[in-house]
């Protein structure tokens, strides 16, 4: 990763993945002018899917959620460059990708410092042909093998000491080759000790139960047991503190 600093901005980027100008690639308008926008997704903000010279990517600006987010939409309190939302997520993705966990590779992150506040953007690899579990399970159930693979990938993430604070059915993808991917590591972190792993699994279980009622997904207790079989087969102890 290389670091570029100018004015009150800091950009961290991977020159092996990014062929475009780092100062411009984190602006949606740049990709629109290049005719390189290939899609978008709406959530708290808009995620832009773009086609770069070396790979397809997803560009996201960080927005606050909840009641406070209505007042301060996209500014955060600055306490250090590496503690900013975009750089922290980039470093976590680096850690996971380097350990063999299927996560989008980080391409570039920007922090725009404004006094004691900052704004943040992140550019990551777009997983080709991927769909989340909610979209998939609305049409057909998954076989036991796939559920076990999902459990194994979650265990691999936990083995790296990463606590996914928003592990849910929307943040697990299957690509065109039926490979499992984990996404959305904003506000996630490295953790030690015990208990947090089960907390992640409990959150995921609640997500499946919710989506059965909300989206009519084809999921049941047997599918969950298959996931746990895969998880327990690959689970290893998290690293100890210090």
């Amino acid at each position: 990763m290389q670091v570029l600093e100018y004015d009150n901005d800091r950009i961290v980027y991977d020159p092996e993945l990014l062929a475009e100008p780092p100062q411009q690639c984190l602006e949606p308008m740049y990709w629109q002018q290049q005719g390189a926008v290939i899609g978008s997704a709406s959530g708290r903000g808009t995620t832009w899917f773009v086609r770069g010279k070396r790979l397809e990517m997803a560009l996201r600006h960080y927005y606050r959620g909840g009641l406070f987010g209505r007042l301060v939409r996209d500014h955060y309190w600055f306490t250090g460059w590496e503690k900013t939302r975009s750089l922290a997520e980039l470093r976590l993705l680096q850690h996971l990708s380097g350990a063999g966990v299927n996560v989008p590779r980080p391409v570039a992150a920007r922090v725009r410092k404004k006094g004691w506040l900052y704004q943040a953007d992140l550019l990551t690899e777009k997983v080709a042909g991927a769909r989340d579990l909610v979209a998939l399970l609305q049409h057909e159930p998954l076989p036991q093998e796939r559920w076990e693979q999902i459990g194994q990938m979650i265990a691999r993430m936990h083995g790296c000491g990463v606590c996914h604070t928003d592990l849910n059915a929307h943040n697990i993808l299957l690509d065109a080759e039926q490979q499992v991917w984990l996404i959305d590591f904003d506000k996630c972190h490295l953790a030690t000790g015990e208990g947090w792993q089960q907390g992640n699994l409990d959150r995921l279980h609640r997500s499946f139960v919710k989506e059965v009622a909300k989206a009519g997904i084809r999921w049941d207790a047997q599918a969950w047991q298959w996931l746990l079989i895969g998880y327990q087969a690959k689970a290893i102890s998290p690293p100890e503190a210090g």
Side-chain angles (χ1 to χ4, degrees):
M1 289 285 180
Q2 293 187 7
V3 179
L4 176 64
E5 296 185 358
Y6 61 99
D7 298 330
N8 290 314
D9 291 5
R10 176 175 291 190
I11 296 175
V12 177
Y13 68 99
D14 188 337
E16 295 185 2
L17 299 179
L18 186 67
E20 291 73 21
Q23 299 98 318
Q24 300 179 49
C25 72
L26 290 142
E27 296 288 349
M29 185 175 295
Y30 167 78
W31 298 103
Q32 292 166 357
Q33 292 172 344
Q34 301 299 311
V37 175
I38 57 176
S40 64
S42 298
R44 189 170 296 170
T46 299
T47 297
W48 298 97
F49 300 115
V50 300
R51 180 175 290 111
K53 294 178 181 178
R54 295 175 182 163
L55 76 167
E56 293 182 352
M57 297 170 283
L59 174 59
R60 172 165 54 94
H61 185 72
Y62 286 76
Y63 290 99
R64 288 184 176 277
L67 181 61
F68 190 64
R70 298 180 183 178
L71 302 174
V72 185
R73 192 164 182 237
D74 66 345
H75 286 74
Y76 302 88
W77 190 255
F78 183 84
T79 58
W81 293 105
E82 292 297 323
K83 294 181 180 179
T84 56
R85 300 280 281 269
S86 57
L87 292 187
E89 187 169 355
L90 177 141
R91 300 301 186 196
L92 208 57
L93 290 173
Q94 269 189 295
H95 171 66
L96 288 164
S97 180
V101 181
N102 284 354
V103 298
R105 289 178 294 175
V107 179
R110 179 177 65 185
V111 177
R112 312 202 90 161
K113 188 172 179 292
K114 301 181 178 181
W116 293 104
L117 302 174
Y118 74 91
Q119 295 172 299
D121 304 274
L122 183 67
L123 189 64
T124 58
E125 174 184 29
K126 181 180 182 293
V127 183
R131 300 174 69 192
D132 69 48
L133 290 188
V134 173
L136 290 167
L137 292 170
Q138 284 178 313
H139 299 286
E140 59 183 357
L142 297 179
Q144 178 176 352
E145 176 187 11
R146 207 69 64 234
W147 283 112
E148 291 186 11
Q149 290 171 343
I150 292 168
Q152 290 166 8
M153 192 59 65
I154 295 170
R156 187 175 296 176
M157 174 185 70
H158 284 170
C160 292
V162 173
C163 175
H164 197 309
T165 54
D166 191 24
L167 188 63
N168 62 60
H170 286 286
N171 290 335
I172 301 174
L173 312 180
L174 291 181
D175 65 17
E177 304 299 324
Q178 297 299 296
Q179 296 295 306
V180 179
W181 294 77
L182 305 177
I183 64 169
D184 196 359
F185 286 85
D186 181 29
K187 295 189 289 186
C188 300
H189 57 88
L190 293 174
T192 58
E194 300 178 354
W196 57 269
Q197 300 96 329
Q198 187 60 50
N200 283 185
L201 293 173
D202 291 344
R203 185 180 185 86
L204 179 58
H205 187 273
R206 291 194 298 271
S207 170
F208 283 127
V209 172
K210 174 185 173 182
E211 296 298 342
V212 168
K214 180 180 178 181
I217 66 171
R218 301 184 183 184
W219 176 90
D220 56 23
Q222 180 62 76
W224 182 250
Q225 289 305 311
W226 287 336
L227 184 150
L228 293 180
I229 288 171
Y231 181 87
Q232 291 161 2
K234 288 290 184 180
I236 61 176
S237 300
E240 294 297 328

